[in-house]
Amino acid sequence: MNSNENRDNPVSALKEVFADCFPIGAALSPPVLDSHDDLLPVHFNSLTCENHMKMRALQPAAGEFTFENADAVVEYARTHGMRVRGHTLLWHHETGAPGWVFNEPDGSRSAPEQVEDRLRTHIREVMNRYRGRVECWDVVNEAISDRDGADELLRDSPWRRALGDGYVERVFRMAHGADPHALLFYNEYGMTRPAKRERTLRLLRRLLEAGAPVHGAGIQGHFDLRVDVDEVRRAIEEFASLGLKVEITELDISLYNDNDESFTSPPPERLARQAGLYGKLFALFREYRQVITGITFWGVADDRTWLDNHPVRGRKNWPLLFDGDHRPKEALCSILDGAMDA
Ligand code: GLA
């Protein structure tokens, strides 16, 4: 039985409705392959590991590669004819305790060449393993500084401290060398903020001018009810104007406006606003289907979302298209209705 067959109000399959536009993805961890098997093959045709392709998960200690969890996701995708987006080869978080990449066993800082060697080995091993099965990779995640007004392009991170300002370009070249067929993305949050977007565009422009193999820009898309859809449009347009493919890589819409709010059940008025926004966003994505190569939700249904613990630990949130019982929400209907009218 699938989710379309046991509902009073059957809904169309999201992936079918957007089949001529872009794949519809979900980020998940292996237990979700079972717990959400009612929804996944019906509505989604792209998968991302929520955490299990990060460095900490794939190589928790020097030379110790642990592929089982990521393999499970890739295998499920293969069985169901889904695409896989790799996330992520380099990030300043989740590199693996206790910092084996940056430090020697005695705690002293490793030499830059040593760090770069470890990174190259990591990228080569990971991309080799998933060659031909992972179509695109978020090569670098969140390298841009958050400090508006400061004359600073890259954030102060252990990678930058170890490898210097040229590291982003070198990482893309490493990734291209490891799998010349993979599509390589730069992924970033805060892309509706003009100042941060401008810095991101500056980085991408420099990379492209230097001939670096960058093929796409990922707009994460962790939004809330105040998201300005026109800013999302500008982000898509500006990245596309560089000749890049664009993906929305981590889409969800929080129901909270600030950290002091807390609801025990989702207020209907907020669900309605969320639905309206999802509808507008998907109308926009459809408009830009020539440049958008994927939309990925950061989760499948509201029973499991990282937002239950972020930014407030233990506060329930309802950011996705299916409710906690995997029933379609107004948000899904709004997207589908919009698509029918298009
Ligand atoms: C960022 C990262 C993701 C994930 C989310 C929160 O956006 O890119 O990998 O960790 O935060 O779950």
Side-chain angles (χ1 to χ4, degrees), residues 50-51 54 87 91 94 141-142 220 222 250 298 306:
E50 187 169 0
N51 294 305
K54 292 173 181 168
H87 174 87
W91 192 28
E94 302 189 40
N141 194 32
E142 304 182 348
Q220 289 191 1
H222 293 296
E250 306 187 19
W298 208 247
W306 75 294

Side-chain angles (χ1 to χ4, degrees), residues 278-298:
Y278 267 124
K280 283 193 188 127
L281 285 169
F282 269 77
L284 176 70
F285 300 156
R286 172 184 284 280
E287 231 184 280
Y288 286 90
R289 61 184 176 278
Q290 303 301 344
V291 293
I292 293 181
T293 53
I295 306 289
T296 293
F297 289 88
W298 208 247

Side-chain angles (χ1 to χ4, degrees), residues 7-8 34 38 42 141 148 154 166 203 207 261 273 328 330:
R7 305 295 177 212
D8 296 340
D34 285 329
D38 53 338
V42 180
N141 194 32
D148 294 354
L154 298 177
L203 171 71
L207 291 170
E261 293 181 325
R273 275 166 57 203
E330 203 177 329

Side-chain angles (χ1 to χ4, degrees), residues 225 253 255 268-282 318-321 329-336:
L225 297 173
I253 303 183
L255 288 195
E269 170 268 337
R270 297 223 176 167
L271 287 175
R273 275 166 57 203
Q274 183 189 52
L277 276 172
Y278 267 124
K280 283 193 188 127
L281 285 169
F282 269 77
W318 301 268
L320 296 160
L321 303 187
K329 288 167 62 182
E330 203 177 329
L332 178 65
C333 301
S334 159
I335 292 174
L336 295 174

